[in-house]
Amino acid sequence: MTRLDKITAKQLNISRTQAKAMIKNGEVCVNGAVIKSVDFKCSDDDKISAGGKEIERRDFVYIMMNKPKGVISASEGKGDKTVIDLLPDEMKRKGLFPAGRLDKDTTGFVLITDDGAFAHDILSPSHHIDKTYTAKLDTPFDDDVINDFKSGMTLGGEKLLEAEITPLNNECTIAEVVLRQGLYHQVKRMFKKHGITVVELKRTKMGNLPLDKTLKSGESRYIDENELKSIVAK
Ligand code: URA
């Protein structure tokens, strides 16, 4: 059993005093009933809501965001808007950070979590989680590019892991690229080596989990247990 004020404070990322005030004001419900006692204790199965929205009770949360352009993949922006700023209030809680980075002008799948061990696992180069991108290019790519991607190109003196590249249109100006690494500006630099500029880049998949097509730009939703497994499944 855990105190209601403790759960409310943790999950809403507010102080215990603020949580107690919300409870006393009748803003917090347990299993649909308003609870005004700050000493109230909840079991793990109790459904808690605050301000009419259900509070997520998992120890760790995993969130899929469809990142828009102009937003940085960091917890603190120093003037720039971050993916954490974009989360709706009911999803915000202490310790959330993006697991891996997309460039400011890259859109698509960003995974946000407060589970440091999981993030470490999926970002670790030894795990080689596939990351799939759609890249729009200013120039068509040819067999030379395909072979260089597939054989593991050398970039800035570093031999890269094999990458997949598939044309998504007849003109070969839109490519699906699958990487097993996450080097700085990697997709853009791989094309640049061949004189091709990436004009738009979107991450569409992490591991086997595709970006939810119903998420509009800037929207987020929780990732469930099965989906989480499909990120790391080979
Ligand atoms: N590769 C890039 O060049 N940019 C990204 O944001 C992700 C992969």
Side-chain angles (χ1 to χ4, degrees), residues 54-202:
E54 188 168 328
I55 291 179
E56 183 57 52
R57 294 204 52 197
R58 285 185 278 179
D59 280 347
F60 294 119
V61 291
Y62 309 89
I63 295 168
M64 172 194 290
M65 175 179 283
N66 183 4
K67 175 191 168 309
K69 277 189 188 170
V71 172
I72 60 165
S73 309
S75 308
E76 310 234 330
K78 300 188 183 103
D80 282 313
K81 196 171 242 191
T82 71
V83 288
I84 305 297
D85 295 331
L86 278 192
L87 288 173
D89 283 347
E90 68 275 12
M91 280 187 163
K92 283 189 179 143
R93 57 190 230 162
K94 260 194 203 86
L96 288 175
F97 62 92
R101 286 175 182 243
L102 290 182
D103 297 336
K104 191 172 174 180
D105 62 353
T106 300
T107 60
F109 194 161
V110 174
L111 194 150
I112 297 169
T113 185
D114 50 359
D115 184 345
F118 177 79
H120 180 267
D121 266 7
I122 63 162
L123 297 177
S124 151
S126 59
H127 280 83
H128 306 324
I129 299 292
D130 288 357
K131 281 146 232 136
T132 307
Y133 298 88
T134 299
K136 290 197 181 145
L137 312 169
D138 72 339
T139 317
F141 62 96
D142 57 15
D143 285 346
D144 275 353
V145 178
I146 295 176
N147 293 334
D148 202 23
F149 271 59
K150 289 195 169 169
S151 61
M153 71 170 66
T154 302
L155 195 64
E158 187 176 350
K159 173 91 174 140
L160 303 187
L161 295 174
E162 291 166 25
E164 282 157 38
I165 174 166
T166 317
L168 294 179
N169 64 347
N170 290 336
E171 297 76 27
C172 287
T173 52
I174 307 179
E176 182 174 87
V177 176
V178 183
L179 300 184
R180 300 188 171 85
Q181 294 166 285
L183 303 181
Y184 184 65
H185 292 332
Q186 188 171 343
V187 175
K188 293 173 187 164
R189 286 166 55 228
M190 287 170 86
F191 280 108
K192 204 61 185 173
K193 182 185 165 195
H194 291 273
I196 299 172
T197 300
V198 174
V199 289
E200 264 183 46
L201 189 63
K202 177 172 188 170

Side-chain angles (χ1 to χ4, degrees), residues 17-81:
T17 311
Q18 287 169 315
K20 282 181 182 151
M22 282 183 81
I23 294 167
K24 282 186 191 151
N25 278 340
E27 292 171 51
V28 181
C29 292
V30 178
N31 301 326
V34 174
I35 301 292
K36 289 192 170 181
S37 157
V38 288
D39 298 323
F40 192 87
K41 292 200 174 70
C42 298
S43 75
D44 288 348
D45 298 331
D46 285 335
K47 298 249 177 293
I48 304 172
S49 59
K53 299 229 165 98
E54 188 168 328
I55 291 179
E56 183 57 52
R57 294 204 52 197
R58 285 185 278 179
D59 280 347
F60 294 119
V61 291
Y62 309 89
I63 295 168
M64 172 194 290
M65 175 179 283
N66 183 4
K67 175 191 168 309
K69 277 189 188 170
V71 172
I72 60 165
S73 309
S75 308
E76 310 234 330
K78 300 188 183 103
D80 282 313
K81 196 171 242 191

